[in-house]
């Protein structure tokens, strides 16, 4: 939340120097601020600012005093920044000045580490007012920045927690369905249902109490608790489930309201009237839909216009509930002395609907005449005594049974057991005699009381469970409480205990007082359409009817009030991007858009129209929410998080797990398919938040769980190196950044993604030169840029930016220390230094070569990508082509594994793999090809195989020329340490000496076989210097062939015809003035060359010719990387060898193994 401080000049005596008078140093100016509440009120926090610690020396001095103002919430969840170490700590606090000498030692840290006295002053002045409708309504009347006195919350346990929980728990199911549940399931199974559900909520309340007392819980209730305990993904998923549950609860309450209205208060108001008995259910549902929609619109308007009216009526609704329950108990007591007269008419053992007849008689005698009754007309063709009647009606007598025999009647023994049945089953009293079988085809048209749905135990659990929800009402009002950490546990647990006693006693008393057939009569058809529970109450059934009607109205209004605020809180947290629009509302913060969505979802429940069908839906969402409250408590307890210090001590992780298991069991008991759907919805929201959600760090328990799991896995992983079968490249990507800390080669990350496909470890490393104290900001910026590039390239891994005194040491530190335990890299990926010849820093290419040496000594594999910027992006799809592998020396099988891994990615999927290997003079190339094909077959790799013969033929003059140029260039490079004048003189002398030597040898040779090639690439001193200054950049790898140490016994100078003409034409184009030199005249200078360099250059030239010939058109060429020379004096030449080797190839991946086998033929 934003805060602003205004410095008000105050004279030494405390008077205000301006026009305004201040009675206190700190004046709070609360602005309307909406947060979240799932059950009505929201809480706005108003914090007192910190007095300035000034001690005036002169009474006339003016001392500034800080005036504290609040700005509207900018963080989204109506609480101070949660990552701040103190409750009221904000960025603007850092502006507080400090004066005094007692603590001068700490004065430079005062902005981040305030004085303890200052902190305690803040904590003492901390208030947490309700973020509720009342403040929103009052804000409507405010004009300008009027100052209001801060009212501290004064509600205690009874008014703030106990009564709201009681009102939310007791409701529609108790009045409309509990008698039917007792009659259908029997007393024993009904007690089991009540016990299961109440145990679930009691265990959840214990877990919730622990979480609610672990620090200050701002408004937001269960959503806030779960999201801050289990993280944004779980918080968002469960918060939305709780929102949907609250919304469908609104539907259920509205349907209950309409059911009471149309069935018990004004049945005549029905729009749809069934002409036939079989259409009665459809007519009732259609009436519910029409009236329910109208009622929803009316309630939405009330909530939109003024929520304060809903809050003011809350006590009225609560009074209705309590009076209704007292009327039930009074009625039960009265049945002992004087049972009420509600007779039920039975035909045989079947219960009759007592709507269309007044007397339970077939015939009656009036003036010595026997006449038929209205009941006769319902079963017979006409009123005549000889009319054709229903067989069952003819064979059985009608009897009257007392619907409420009373507490002492002994009816409890008959109601002990369950009577489940299918849709349309007749409600019968098995004690009464019955003659003749039933005829379902005829019975459907008769006025019998029947089951309107198929009944079974699990269905009743789902229908009953909503009657125990509402336990979060206290935690939702935490901002209103004087001491929330004391009131929430006591009030919630007492409310659950009270309601559990009420439910259990009601089950027993209903079973002991009411006849079984009346209990199973859901809508009271057998007692002239009276509410069954109303027949038991005293003084009149209307007490229950009116009480339950207003109770359902109030509960519906509160659901429509709480649900939008909960959605608004989730939207303002920013964790579900597509819900952002619902965070906005009216000027006073009322959630208008959220209310519209809530009304729309609520309408879905109303269109379902059946209370019995909607109840299991909201049961699922509430159970999901309770499950995660228990999980949050269990996880925090087991992890022993340092911040887990609840004031409520009567909890245990075993109780939380039991509650969690009970919630899960109840979900599947109630309705397994609804449970799966609810879990799928929560899972989708979880993955969506994980994929798209804003990055939030709330110090949640799941993070702690992840850390524990990671620590355990790492310790297990470190026990042994991975088996060859489990080996995969765990990459350390050495990435360069430019001067603005932007990523230089993002395609290196693309290649990483294509190579890894999200599996294994990826560490992207970068080294900045300097000291950490001076480069901290740049390091953070570089890390952020690299993370952005990784996100753009979908590279899953870690970023590690190191600041070191020099690049060489920084790369060395990364190679040695990146990773943790067994999760360390085994492969280094880097880009080829393409501009090393133009670089004016010789250290850069030396760093490259040293990196190669370090990876070798660390037994890491090395991948060097040449022309990495031409590699495909993740969006490219390469067409038909090849990935060519040049397998010159075996170094563990990396060359075989990499193409296979690349082809798993859709970029390279269409490419075919070709493997080339090189045969020497004495090799049997045919047998080599067969062996290689068999080897690939055992490796289960599909690839074309080709063996290329490279005979140990004569070293060409071209090779000697290349070597001569290289050595002359190396000699010049060594002069880079000289001064500029000395460097120019040295370069000139080297060049002149070389040219005069060549001219002397060319004076007598004007004819004969010749080749034209410059002995040096420089034309003049300036060009030489420019070339040389740019010539020292980066570094690469080791030697290619151990045989290079043993040179040929004789050297042949051979030229092909093509080579002769090519070189001659090339020379004419380059410089026509240079004299033509005979190659034999060059021989004395060639003989002075290092023969080891000649052999290496020969290998590079020959291998390059072969590779270019075969693989120039390939999408990618993988090639063994020669190692650097053991003698560091040859480092300059090593880069030249590699350049010659890679000349003419576009995409190349140089591969150097780590000294272990990485691929195996065994399963």
């Amino acid at each position: 939340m934003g805060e602003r401080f205004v410095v008000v000049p105050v004279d030494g005596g405390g008077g205000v120097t301006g026009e305004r008078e201040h009675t206190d140093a700190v004046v709070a100016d609360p602005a309307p601020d909406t947060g979240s509440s799932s059950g009505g009120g929201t809480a706005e926090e108003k914090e007192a600012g910190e007095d300035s610690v000034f001690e005036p020396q002169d009474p006339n001095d003016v001392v500034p005093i800080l005036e504290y103002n609040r700005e509207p919430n900018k963080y989204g969840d109506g609480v101070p920044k949660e990552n701040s170490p103190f409750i009221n700590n904000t960025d603007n606090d850092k502006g507080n000045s400090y004066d005094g000498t007692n603590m001068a030692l700490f004065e430079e840290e005062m902005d981040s580490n305030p004085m303890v006295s200052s902190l305690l002053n803040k904590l003492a002045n901390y208030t947490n007012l309700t973020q509720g409708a009342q403040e929103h309504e009052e804000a409507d009347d405010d004009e300008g920045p009027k100052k209001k006195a801060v009212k501290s919350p004064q509600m205690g346990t009874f008014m703030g927690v106990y009564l709201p929980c009681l009102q939310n728990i007791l409701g529609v199911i108790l009045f409309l369905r509990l008698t039917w549940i007792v009659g259908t399931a029997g007393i024993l199974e009904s007690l089991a249902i009540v016990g299961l559900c109440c145990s679930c909520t009691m265990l959840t309340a214990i877990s919730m109490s622990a979480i609610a007392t672990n620090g200050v819980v701002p408004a937001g209730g269960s959503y806030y608790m779960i999201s801050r305990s289990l993280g944004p993904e779980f918080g968002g998923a469960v918060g939305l489930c709780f929102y949907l549950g609250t919304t469908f609860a609104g539907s259920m309450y509205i349907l209950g309201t309409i059911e009471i209205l149309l069935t018990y208060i004004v049945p005549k108001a029905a729009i749809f009237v069934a002409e036939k008995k079989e259409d009665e259910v459809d007519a009732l549902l259609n009436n519910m839909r029409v009236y329910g929609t109208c009622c929803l619109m009316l309630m939405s308007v009330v909530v939109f216009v003024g929520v304060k009216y809903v809050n003011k009526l809350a006590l009225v609704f609560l009074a209705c509930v309590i009076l209704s329950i007292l009327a039930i108990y009074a009625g039960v007591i009265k049945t002992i002395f004087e049972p009420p007269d509600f007779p039920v008419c039975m035909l045989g053992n079947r219960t009759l609907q007592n709507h269309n007849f007044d007397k339970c008689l077939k015939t009656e005698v009036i003036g010595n005449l026997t006449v038929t009754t209205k009941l006769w007309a319902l079963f017979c063709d006409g009123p005549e005594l000889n009319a054709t009647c229903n067989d069952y009606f003819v064979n059985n007598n009608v009897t009257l049974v007392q619907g409420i025999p009373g507490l002492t009647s002994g009816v409890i023994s008959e109601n002990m057991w369950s009577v489940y049945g299918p849709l349309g089953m007749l409600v019968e009293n098995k004690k009464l005699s019955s003659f003749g079988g039933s005829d379902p085809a005829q019975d459907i048209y008769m006025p019998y009381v029947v089951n309107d749905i198929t009944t079974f135990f699990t269905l009743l659990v789902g229908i009953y469970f909503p009657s125990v929800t509402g336990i979060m009402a206290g935690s939702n009002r935490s901002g209103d409480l004087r001491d929330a950490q004391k009131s929430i546990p006591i009030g919630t647990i007492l409310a659950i205990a009270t309601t559990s006693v009420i439910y259990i006693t009601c089950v027993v008393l209903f079973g002991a007082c009411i006849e079984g057939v009346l209990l199973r009569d859901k809508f009271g058809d057998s007692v002239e359409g009276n509410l069954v529970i109303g027949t038991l109450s005293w003084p009149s059934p209307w007490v229950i009817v009116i009480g339950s009607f207003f109770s359902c109205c109030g509960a519906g209004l509160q659901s429509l009030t709480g649900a939008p605020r909960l959605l608004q809180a989730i939207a303002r947290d920013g964790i579900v991007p597509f819900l952002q629009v619902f965070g906005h509302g009216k000027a006073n913060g009322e959630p208008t858009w959220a209310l519209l969505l809530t009304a729309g979802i609520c309408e879905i429940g109303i269109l379902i129209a059946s209370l019995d069908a909607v109840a299991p839906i909201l049961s699922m969402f509430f159970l999901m929410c309770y499950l995660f409250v228990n999980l949050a408590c269990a996880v925090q307890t087991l992890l022993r998080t340092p911040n887990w210090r609840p004031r409520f001590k009567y909890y245990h992780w075993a109780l939380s797990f039991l509650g969690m298991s009970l919630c899960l069991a109840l979900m599947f008991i109630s309705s397994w398919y609804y449970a799966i759907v609810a879990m799928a919805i929560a899972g989708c929201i979880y993955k969506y938040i994980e994929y798209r959600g804003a990055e939030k760090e709330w110090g949640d328990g799941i993070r702690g769980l992840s850390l524990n799991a990671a620590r355990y896995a790492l310790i297990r992983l470190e026990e042994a190196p991975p088996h060859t079968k489990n080996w995969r490249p765990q990459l350390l990507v050495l990435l360069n950044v430019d001067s603005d800390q932007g990523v230089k080669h993002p395609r290196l990350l693309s290649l990483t993604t294509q190579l890894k496909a999200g599996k294994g470890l990826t560490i992207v490393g970068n080294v900045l030169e300097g000291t950490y104290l001076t480069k901290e900001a740049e390091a953070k910026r570089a890390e952020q840029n690299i993370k952005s590039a990784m996100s753009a390239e979908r590279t899953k891994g870690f970023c590690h930016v190191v600041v070191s005194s020099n690049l060489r040491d920084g790369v060395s530190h990364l190679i040695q220390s990146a990773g943790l335990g067994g999760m360390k890299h085994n492969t280094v990926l880097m880009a080829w230094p393409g501009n090393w010849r133009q670089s004016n820093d010789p250290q850069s290419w030396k760093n490259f070569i040293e990196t190669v040496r370090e990876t070798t000594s660390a037994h890491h594999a090395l991948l060097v990508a040449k022309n990495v910027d031409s590699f495909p992006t993740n969006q490219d799809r390469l067409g038909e082509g090849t990935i060519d592998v040049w397998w010159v020396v075996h170094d563990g099988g990396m060359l075989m594994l990499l193409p296979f891994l690349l082809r798993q990615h859709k970029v390279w999927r269409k490419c075919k793999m070709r493997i080339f290997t090189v045969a020497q003079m004495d090799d049997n190339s045919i047998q080599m090809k067969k062996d290689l094909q068999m080897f690939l077959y055992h490796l289960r790799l599909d690839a074309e195989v080709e063996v290329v013969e490279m005979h140990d033929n004569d070293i060409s003059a071209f090779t000697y020329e290349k070597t001569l140029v290289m050595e002359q260039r190396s000699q010049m490079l060594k002069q880079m340490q000289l001064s500029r004048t000395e460097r120019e003189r040295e370069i000139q002398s080297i060049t002149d000496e070389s040219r005069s030597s060549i001219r002397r040898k060319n004076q007598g040779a004007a004819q004969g076989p010749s080749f034209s090639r410059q002995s040096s690439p420089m034309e003049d001193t300036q060009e030489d210097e420019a070339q040389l200054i740019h010539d020292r950049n980066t570094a690469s790898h080791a030697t290619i062939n151990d045989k290079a140490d043993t040179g040929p016994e004789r050297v042949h100078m051979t030229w092909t015809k093509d080579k002769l003409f090519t070189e001659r034409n090339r020379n004419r184009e380059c410089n026509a003035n240079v004299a033509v030199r005979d190659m034999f005249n060059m021989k004395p200078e060639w003989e002075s060359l290092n023969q080891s360099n000649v052999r290496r250059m020969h290998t590079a030239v020959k291998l390059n010719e072969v590779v270019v010939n075969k693989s120039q058109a390939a999408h990618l060429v993988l090639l063994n990387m020669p190692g650097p020379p053991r003698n560091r004096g040859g480092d300059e030449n090593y880069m030249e060898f590699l350049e010659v080797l890679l000349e003419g190839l576009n995409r190349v991946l140089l591969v150097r193994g780590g000294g272990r086998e990485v691929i195996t033929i065994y399963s």
Side-chain angles (χ1 to χ4, degrees):
M1 291 187 181
E3 300 173 356
R4 58 182 184 273
F5 290 89
V6 183
V7 178
V8 182
V10 179
D11 59 29
V16 183
T17 59
E19 293 179 8
R20 296 168 56 188
E21 291 189 5
H22 293 257
T23 56
D24 194 358
V26 180
V27 182
D29 175 24
D33 189 341
T34 57
S36 59
S37 168
S38 57
T42 54
E44 178 180 28
E45 296 156 9
K46 301 178 175 65
E47 304 149 338
E50 178 187 353
D51 286 359
S52 204
V53 191
F54 282 100
E55 208 172 302
Q57 302 297 322
D58 189 340
N60 296 319
D61 287 348
V62 173
V63 180
I65 283 185
L66 294 177
E67 174 182 323
Y68 179 43
N69 259 338
R70 298 299 299 267
E71 290 181 358
N73 172 27
K74 294 184 179 64
Y75 294 94
D77 52 1
V79 292
K81 284 194 279 185
E82 290 152 13
N83 57 358
S84 60
F86 311 117
I87 293 174
N88 292 6
N89 190 36
T90 59
D91 292 337
N92 290 326
D93 287 341
K94 295 179 181 178
N96 295 357
S97 52
Y98 170 78
D99 185 23
T101 56
N102 291 341
M103 290 292 167
L105 184 62
F106 300 98
E107 62 187 1
E108 291 185 356
E109 298 176 347
M110 282 295 168
D111 55 350
S112 58
N113 302 333
M115 295 283 292
V116 174
S117 57
S118 158
L119 170 66
L120 293 176
N121 182 40
K122 282 185 179 182
L123 292 175
N125 292 330
Y126 174 70
T127 61
N128 182 7
L129 287 185
T130 175
Q131 290 172 309
Q134 186 179 352
E135 282 72 21
H136 294 321
E137 294 297 335
E138 289 170 354
D140 285 338
D141 305 327
D142 284 348
E143 293 179 4
K146 275 196 303 184
K147 299 289 178 288
K148 280 192 266 181
V150 176
K151 294 185 299 180
S152 59
Q154 293 299 322
M155 295 185 79
T157 304
F158 185 75
M159 289 296 292
V161 181
Y162 181 76
L163 289 182
C165 283
L166 213 61
Q167 180 187 356
N168 277 265
I169 295 171
L170 299 170
V172 61
I173 300 295
L174 169 65
F175 300 124
L176 295 184
R177 292 290 181 270
L178 191 58
T179 52
W180 173 72
I181 289 172
V182 173
T184 307
I187 293 174
L188 293 179
E189 290 187 26
S190 297
L191 287 174
I193 292 171
V194 172
L196 270 175
C197 297
C198 290
S199 301
C200 176
T201 52
M202 181 61 83
L203 292 170
T204 304
I206 291 170
S207 299
M208 186 192 73
S209 299
I211 297 171
T213 58
N214 187 49
V216 177
V217 178
S222 59
Y223 163 69
Y224 183 92
M225 288 190 295
I226 295 169
S227 60
R228 272 52 176 183
S229 297
L230 292 179
E233 293 89 356
F234 277 112
V238 181
L240 283 175
C241 281
F242 193 55
Y243 163 73
L244 290 172
T246 309
T247 306
F248 275 105
S251 300
M252 185 186 74
Y253 291 129
I254 291 171
L255 290 173
T257 305
I258 303 305
E259 185 176 310
I260 294 167
L261 181 72
L262 292 181
T263 311
Y264 307 114
I265 299 178
V266 278
K268 305 280 187 194
I271 298 171
F272 301 92
V273 180
E275 295 179 359
K276 300 177 183 177
K277 183 175 180 297
E278 61 267 26
D279 297 331
E280 284 179 357
V281 174
D282 292 335
L284 175 65
L285 294 181
N286 287 329
N287 284 318
M288 300 280 273
R289 291 183 181 109
V290 174
Y291 277 95
T293 304
C294 296
C295 184
L296 172 63
M297 291 170 64
L298 184 65
M299 286 185 174
S300 301
V301 169
V302 170
V303 171
F304 179 77
V305 169
V307 182
K308 64 180 178 183
Y309 303 117
V310 179
N311 288 345
K312 286 175 180 175
L313 289 171
L315 276 176
V316 176
F317 300 139
L318 177 61
C320 291
V321 175
I322 294 172
L323 283 174
S324 301
I325 291 169
L326 291 176
I328 293 168
Y329 285 115
V332 169
I333 294 168
K334 184 174 178 291
T335 61
I336 301 172
F337 314 108
E338 185 186 345
D341 183 30
F342 282 101
V344 176
C345 188
M346 309 291 294
L347 176 63
N349 64 357
R350 301 178 183 181
T351 312
L352 297 177
Q353 292 185 353
N354 190 0
H355 286 303
N356 300 319
F357 61 91
D358 50 357
K359 295 177 182 176
C360 187
L361 296 168
K362 291 184 181 181
T363 60
E364 60 180 334
V365 178
I366 300 176
N368 295 325
L369 288 174
T370 303
V371 295
T372 58
T373 60
K374 291 182 180 178
L375 180 60
W376 180 282
L378 295 174
F379 286 90
C380 301
D381 292 343
E384 300 84 12
L385 288 170
N386 59 354
T388 306
C389 295
N390 179 273
D391 291 342
Y392 191 83
F393 181 74
V394 172
N395 295 332
N396 292 274
N397 294 323
V398 290
T399 52
L400 272 177
V401 174
Q402 192 54 255
I404 301 178
L407 194 61
T408 56
S409 64
V411 74
I412 187 169
S413 59
E414 300 169 16
N415 293 330
M416 199 65 74
W417 311 108
S418 61
V419 186
Y420 299 118
L423 170 68
M425 186 187 85
L426 300 171
V427 175
E428 299 174 335
N429 186 338
K430 297 299 182 184
K431 288 194 305 178
L432 300 177
S433 58
S434 174
F435 303 99
S438 61
D439 181 6
Q442 290 294 322
D443 293 343
I444 193 171
Y445 302 106
M446 298 298 124
Y448 297 128
V449 177
V450 297
N451 281 1
D452 63 332
I453 55 172
T454 303
T455 54
F456 42 90
F457 177 79
T458 57
L459 172 78
L460 299 185
V461 173
I463 291 173
Y464 173 76
F465 187 81
S467 66
V468 296
T469 59
I471 63 172
M472 300 288 185
S475 62
N476 291 340
R477 297 160 188 264
S478 57
D480 299 325
L481 303 173
R482 191 182 302 117
D483 184 358
Q485 298 191 5
K486 177 183 174 185
S487 298
I488 289 175
I490 296 172
T492 306
I493 291 171
L494 276 179
I496 293 173
T498 306
T499 52
S500 299
V501 169
I502 290 172
Y503 284 130
I504 290 168
T505 54
C506 281
V507 166
V508 175
L509 293 174
F510 291 165
C513 293
I514 305 174
E515 178 64 44
V517 289
L518 182 54
L519 282 174
R520 294 197 296 281
D521 182 3
K522 186 187 287 185
F523 300 110
D525 291 323
S526 61
V527 284
E528 300 179 354
N530 275 302
L531 181 61
V532 174
I533 198 172
T535 61
L536 182 62
S537 65
W538 179 87
S540 164
W542 286 100
V543 175
I544 296 282
V545 172
I546 301 300
S548 59
F549 177 78
F550 281 113
S551 168
C552 291
C553 275
L557 281 169
Q558 288 192 326
S559 294
L560 287 177
T561 304
R565 280 172 177 70
L566 177 58
L567 182 63
Q568 187 182 44
I570 297 169
R572 289 190 167 187
D573 261 349
I575 56 174
V576 186
F578 71 84
L579 291 179
Q580 297 282 9
V581 66
F582 299 109
H584 308 300
K586 290 197 290 186
N588 63 358
E590 280 295 306
T592 312
W593 293 106
L595 178 61
L596 283 174
L597 180 67
T598 302
I601 297 173
C602 208
E603 178 64 17
I604 295 172
I606 286 168
L607 291 177
I608 294 173
S610 169
L611 188 72
D612 303 320
V614 172
I617 296 175
L618 67 105
S619 294
M620 288 308 122
F621 291 123
F622 278 119
L623 280 165
M624 180 83 72
C625 177
Y626 297 165
L627 184 150
F628 282 103
V629 169
N630 284 300
L631 176 64
C633 181
V635 165
Q636 300 271 36
T637 307
L638 286 174
L639 289 178
R640 295 187 180 89
T641 314
N643 192 49
W644 180 246
R645 303 185 297 275
R647 288 193 177 279
F648 180 76
K649 300 298 181 187
Y650 306 102
Y651 68 93
H652 193 270
W653 64 266
L655 291 176
S656 298
F657 265 117
L658 181 60
M660 190 176 72
S661 308
L662 203 51
C663 288
L664 194 62
L666 282 172
M667 285 177 72
F668 283 92
I669 286 172
S670 303
S671 173
W672 63 267
Y673 45 89
Y674 278 157
I676 290 172
V677 170
M679 293 173 93
I681 291 172
C684 290
I685 298 167
Y686 178 94
K687 295 306 289 182
Y688 177 80
I689 295 172
E690 188 179 54
Y691 177 64
R692 288 289 311 277
E695 295 177 4
K696 295 277 181 181
E697 174 51 61
W698 287 329
D700 51 87
I702 290 295
R703 183 176 173 80
L705 193 62
S706 302
L707 283 170
N708 265 19
R711 180 185 63 83
Y712 175 76
L714 282 170
I715 291 171
R716 290 288 304 274
L717 198 62
E718 206 172 12
E719 289 178 1
H723 191 273
T724 303
K725 288 184 287 188
N726 298 327
W727 195 95
R728 67 165 59 246
Q730 316 287 7
L731 290 180
L732 169 63
V733 183
L734 297 179
L735 204 61
N736 290 330
V737 295
D738 54 28
S739 56
D740 296 325
Q741 282 74 51
V743 175
K744 269 189 181 177
H745 301 296
R747 296 289 176 86
L748 206 58
L749 295 174
S750 305
L751 177 63
T752 305
T753 304
Q754 293 155 23
L755 195 60
K756 301 288 291 177
K759 305 292 190 298
L761 174 72
T762 302
I763 303 172
V764 180
N766 172 252
V767 179
L768 295 179
E769 200 165 5
T771 63
Y772 187 71
L773 291 177
T774 58
K775 295 279 187 177
E776 180 189 2
E778 289 180 29
K780 293 272 172 43
R781 191 159 63 248
E783 186 171 356
Q784 195 58 45
N785 291 343
I786 291 172
K787 283 181 178 176
S788 300
M790 290 171 68
S791 176
E793 299 294 340
R794 297 180 183 174
T795 305
K796 296 179 181 177
F798 308 98
C799 174
H800 197 175
V801 176
V802 172
V803 182
S804 178
S805 56
N806 60 69
L807 296 177
R808 169 80 196 81
D809 290 345
V811 173
S812 177
H813 295 156
L814 272 178
I815 291 172
Q816 291 177 62
S817 62
L820 182 66
M823 280 294 280
K824 292 183 76 72
H825 60 278
N826 55 28
T827 306
V828 177
L829 172 62
M830 58 197 300
W832 169 260
N835 61 342
W836 69 275
R837 280 178 170 161
Q838 288 77 41
S839 173
N840 57 3
D841 180 14
Q843 196 58 41
S844 59
W845 56 263
K846 287 191 174 181
N847 286 345
F848 178 85
I849 297 177
E850 288 303 313
T851 304
V852 176
R853 288 194 172 104
E854 289 219 349
T855 54
T856 304
S857 62
H859 302 292
H860 294 332
L862 178 67
L863 308 177
V864 179
K866 187 186 180 223
N867 297 330
V868 70
D869 293 327
S870 68
F871 275 61
T873 65
N874 292 327
Q875 286 72 41
D876 294 338
R877 299 291 179 269
L878 297 179
E880 299 293 335
T882 60
I883 299 175
D884 287 359
V885 176
W886 285 84
W887 193 20
V888 181
V889 294
H890 179 63
D891 54 0
M894 277 282 286
L895 282 167
M896 307 293 182
L897 189 61
L898 291 175
F900 169 77
L901 294 174
L902 280 174
R903 289 178 64 218
Q904 305 300 305
H905 197 276
K906 46 195 168 188
V907 172
W908 302 90
R909 193 161 289 156
K910 293 183 180 178
C911 297
K912 293 181 179 177
M913 182 174 162
R914 294 195 303 180
I915 295 185
F916 298 89
T917 190
V918 178
Q920 297 298 323
M921 191 69 179
D922 52 352
D923 290 331
N924 183 342
S925 57
I926 298 172
Q927 187 60 41
M928 275 182 71
K929 185 171 183 178
K930 288 181 180 176
D931 293 343
L932 185 53
Q933 285 173 334
M934 183 57 66
F935 180 58
L936 290 176
Y937 175 78
H938 287 307
L939 288 176
R940 290 94 62 205
L941 294 176
D942 296 324
E944 297 177 17
V945 174
E946 190 169 337
V947 177
V948 179
E949 295 184 356
M950 278 185 64
H951 299 301
D952 191 13
N953 55 358
D954 299 333
I955 298 174
S956 66
F958 177 71
T959 301
Y960 277 100
E961 183 69 13
K962 276 272 188 188
T963 312
L964 178 63
V965 171
M966 178 184 74
E967 291 204 349
Q968 288 177 348
R969 188 172 174 282
S970 297
Q971 190 179 352
M972 294 177 194
L973 287 171
K974 288 175 184 174
Q975 311 307 318
M976 295 296 285
Q977 281 73 22
L978 304 175
S979 68
R980 180 181 176 85
T981 312
E982 290 172 330
R983 193 186 310 145
E984 290 176 358
R985 193 183 306 122
E986 188 69 28
I987 291 171
Q988 187 62 49
S989 66
I990 293 170
T991 310
D992 291 347
E993 182 184 342
S994 172
R995 285 182 178 163
S996 61
S997 167
I998 292 170
R999 287 195 194 98
R1000 279 198 311 275
K1001 291 166 187 158
N1002 282 346
Q1003 281 172 357
Q1007 294 179 355
S1010 65
F1011 89 108
S1012 46
R1013 186 166 178 83
Q1014 292 173 257
S1015 63
S1016 171
M1018 298 75 176
E1019 283 302 314
D1020 54 25
T1021 307
Q1022 289 181 350
E1023 288 182 5
D1024 292 342
E1025 182 184 336
Q1027 172 72 20
L1028 289 170
I1029 287 174
H1030 287 79
D1031 251 355
R1032 310 189 66 178
N1033 183 18
T1034 337
S1036 243
H1037 254 298
T1039 17
I1040 193 167
N1041 205 339
D1042 293 338
K1043 295 180 182 177
D1045 294 337
T1046 58
E1049 294 178 1
R1050 54 195 175 80
V1051 175
H1052 294 286
M1053 268 53 78
T1054 58
W1055 280 94
T1056 63
K1057 187 175 181 182
D1058 291 342
K1059 179 76 76 176
L1060 178 64
F1061 287 124
T1062 303
E1063 293 296 327
R1064 183 177 294 157
N1065 293 336
R1066 188 161 172 261
N1067 180 67
R1068 283 175 186 153
E1069 291 170 6
C1070 294
N1071 192 348
N1073 298 325
V1074 179
V1076 178
R1077 293 159 289 162
D1078 183 68
M1079 75 174 190
F1080 294 107
N1081 293 333
M1082 291 283 291
K1083 189 173 179 181
E1085 188 147 328
W1086 290 347
E1087 287 173 347
S1088 67
L1089 295 173
N1090 183 324
Q1091 291 303 307
S1092 174
N1093 285 344
V1094 173
R1095 292 193 301 273
R1096 285 182 170 84
M1097 184 63 79
H1098 174 63
T1099 305
V1101 170
K1102 293 297 292 180
L1103 194 53
N1104 175 257
E1105 285 178 6
V1106 175
V1107 174
V1108 169
N1109 182 36
K1110 296 282 187 182
S1111 301
Q1112 195 161 21
H1115 285 317
L1116 180 64
V1117 176
L1118 281 85
L1119 188 65
N1120 283 116
M1121 183 176 188
R1126 291 187 180 89
N1127 176 17
R1128 294 176 190 274
D1131 284 358
E1132 301 91 338
N1133 302 332
Y1134 175 63
M1135 299 296 287
E1136 285 286 356
F1137 293 140
L1138 291 180
E1139 280 286 5
V1140 171
L1141 182 62
L1142 305 178
E1143 196 173 356
L1145 297 171
N1146 183 20
R1147 294 185 194 129
V1148 184
L1149 196 60
L1150 288 170
V1151 181
R1152 186 162 173 75
R1156 61 163 294 169
E1157 293 293 329
V1158 300
I1159 195 166
T1160 177
I1161 63 174
Y1162 298 106
S1163 61

